[in-house]
Amino acid sequence: MRGVRTVLAGGAAVVVLATGYAGLDVTGAVPGPLTTTPAPTAAPLPTAPGAQPPPQTPAPVLPTLDAGAPVPDPAALARAVGPLLTDPALGASVSASVVDARTGRSLLATAETVPRTPASTTKVLTAVAALRALGDTTRVQTRVVAGSTPDEVVLVAGGDVLLAAGAGDPDAVDGHAGLGDLAARTADSLRAAGRSTVAVRLDDGLFTGPATSPGWGPGDVGAGFVMPIAPLAVDEARLAAGEYAPRAPDPAAAAARLFAQALAADGITVLDAGAGPVVRVPAPAGAAVLASVSSATTAEQVEFMLTASDNTLAEVLARRVALATGRPGTFDDASAAVVEQVADLGVDVTGVQLQGASGLGRDTRIPARTLTDVLSLVASGEHPELGPVAAGLPVAGVSGTLLDRYDQPGTTAAAGVVRAKTGTLTGVSSLAGLLRDTDGRLLAFAVMSDSVVPGGSVSARRAQDRFATALAGCGCR
């Protein structure tokens, strides 16, 4: 999902403030028959199979969800969907939680408080924490400042790992800011000051501690699932085209070399021209800023992170949360900061243990009920800044990590209806999200399996998709 574009993420949040869960559907944040505008996440989404394309302008009177839509009867719901949780494809360790998103009332609870390995459904917590701690409109800057001597400039990392190598694209999230633009602006500033020769230094001290987690698999970086975590990178340090390309072992240094080369191409004589080892120095306090570029907003990055299930961006956002709350920018502090932010929203985090913020950490544990409580809070409208979480969840059969799902027998009816975060590791399959049942009631759900048999990931995902489809099709009264 590289190159996903995100537009005006804050729009969903505004509607949630005014109308609560009904507004999520009207804005397209929760897809379904009432959707009247394109979903605010990523590029314009293709129409779900069998659905009619939404009009490009809203109707004069927007239909809304019926606040009086009946709540499913828990006993009827259990009869309808409970047997699906015994599918052998899910393995022996299964948790499920379904709650009424409007009230938070539990409708189905199967081992819902048992902490399980969540894989990438962890990113739901990370997204909420980032929006709460950082705000939805904040951006990070990559700056070049004057060095401690007249012949030095310092490239200062600010937390943007989605930089483009050349020009930035203001309509993009991945590549919103460009390293080439930063070099051109720096060259202009240097020439204006009568300077033509500099040495480029790097200050990437924003994050501290190990760059990789002991919970990651030994091949995760080499396989391109994540980069060593740093506060600066071009295209998340990919060494080749493609989402799962190997990553540079030192992302910030690789970006600094590219910057030096771009600066030289802009007519500035650069000592070593980016070919030698990168010299790291802290930027002088109060140093004059020569040039800067800014990332996409936090809301746009959160949407991108959820839709594409971007592990690197999740870890970087969590480190920003740690720094914003007075902690160091380490794996452990980022994990603790995410849990703290979720707890401060009133969510019960008993049993939650994070090993990083992406879900790659094998020692991460989250109960299913924590996921549904968070999703219910997102949908409630009580915290409008959390609207981009709903907007960023992939849509069944339409976008992100659900693009190629819900095309099997027993699942096609839910294409375009279910919006959920996926989670997959070896032996682990999870799905957590929002859907509207046939009576118009918005439900939050989570189904987690962490003892899937070897080679059984596809079967487990299909079993979970059948569960979500049955839930969406059940008025259950």
Side-chain angles (χ1 to χ4, degrees):
M1 289 296 293
R2 307 309 300 168
V4 173
R5 306 297 175 90
T6 303
V7 295
L8 298 179
V14 173
V15 178
V16 176
L17 173 64
T19 62
Y21 84 107
L24 286 170
D25 184 68
V26 170
T27 62
V30 175
L34 296 188
T35 300
T36 56
T37 58
T41 182
L45 300 177
T47 303
Q52 295 298 314
Q56 293 303 302
T57 56
V61 179
L62 287 176
T64 59
L65 291 175
D66 181 4
V71 179
D73 175 68
L77 189 148
R79 287 193 297 271
V81 304
L84 297 174
L85 298 173
T86 64
D87 191 317
L90 296 176
S93 299
V94 180
S95 291
S97 172
V98 178
V99 305
D100 175 35
R102 184 175 177 85
T103 65
R105 174 189 174 192
S106 177
L107 303 175
L108 178 74
T110 300
E112 66 170 6
T113 61
V114 175
R116 297 206 186 278
T117 306
S120 280
T121 54
T122 304
K123 294 182 176 75
V124 173
L125 272 62
T126 304
V128 165
L131 291 164
R132 184 174 190 274
L134 304 173
D136 55 355
T137 62
T138 55
R139 303 174 187 266
V140 294
Q141 284 193 336
T142 305
R143 300 177 296 134
V144 177
V145 304
S148 57
T149 65
D151 64 345
E152 286 185 346
V153 295
V154 183
L155 176 63
V156 183
D160 192 351
V161 296
L162 298 176
L163 285 161
D169 181 348
D171 294 325
V173 177
D174 184 12
H176 184 89
L179 204 63
D181 293 334
L182 183 61
R185 294 171 191 175
T186 302
D188 289 343
S189 182
L190 289 171
R191 279 190 289 267
R195 300 171 63 185
S196 59
T197 301
V198 295
V200 173
R201 307 302 187 215
L202 171 65
D203 181 349
D204 63 342
L206 188 66
F207 298 163
T208 52
T212 58
S213 169
W216 295 354
D220 284 348
V221 173
F225 296 141
V226 68
M227 78 173 201
I229 302 306
L232 175 69
V234 170
D235 191 29
E236 294 184 345
R238 287 177 175 80
L239 296 174
E243 182 175 2
Y244 296 119
R247 312 300 179 107
D250 189 340
R257 282 189 286 270
L258 284 175
F259 171 77
Q261 292 163 8
L263 192 60
D266 276 312
I268 300 298
T269 300
V270 179
L271 304 179
D272 295 330
V278 174
V279 177
R280 287 176 159 92
V281 299
V289 178
L290 304 179
S292 66
V293 291
S294 296
S295 71
T297 66
T298 296
E300 291 167 337
Q301 290 193 0
V302 162
E303 288 193 28
F304 180 90
M305 180 266 290
L306 289 171
T307 302
S309 197
D310 191 306
N311 296 313
T312 297
L313 189 54
E315 300 291 359
V316 169
L317 285 166
R319 275 170 166 68
R320 290 178 56 201
V321 171
L323 293 168
T325 56
R327 296 173 179 269
T330 68
F331 269 110
D332 289 346
D333 287 287
S335 301
V338 167
V339 176
E340 180 180 71
Q341 290 298 303
V342 173
D344 285 350
L345 286 166
V347 175
D348 184 358
V349 295
T350 302
V352 175
Q353 173 184 313
L354 299 191
Q355 188 182 40
S358 64
L360 278 179
R362 277 283 176 176
D363 289 337
T364 291
R365 299 289 185 272
I366 301 175
R369 183 58 193 261
T370 300
L371 290 170
T372 53
D373 282 349
V374 168
L375 289 163
S376 180
L377 186 67
V378 166
S380 72
E382 295 174 16
H383 294 273
E385 72 278 9
L386 304 183
V389 176
L393 295 174
V395 181
V398 176
S399 67
T401 52
L402 287 182
L403 176 64
D404 58 355
R405 291 170 60 165
Y406 292 83
D407 59 353
Q408 300 295 309
T411 67
T412 56
V417 175
V418 173
R419 184 183 283 272
K421 183 70 201 75
T422 57
T424 304
L425 292 170
T426 302
V428 176
S429 184
S430 298
L431 188 69
L434 298 164
L435 58 82
R436 195 178 51 172
D437 71 11
T438 54
D439 286 331
R441 197 76 185 185
L442 189 70
L443 307 179
F445 73 95
V447 56
M448 309 174 73
S449 310
D450 61 4
S451 63
V452 176
V453 298
S457 290
V458 171
S459 295
R461 288 197 296 267
R462 289 176 177 171
Q464 290 173 344
D465 291 346
R466 288 192 292 272
F467 173 86
T469 302
L471 187 61
C474 176
C476 296
R477 289 182 284 137

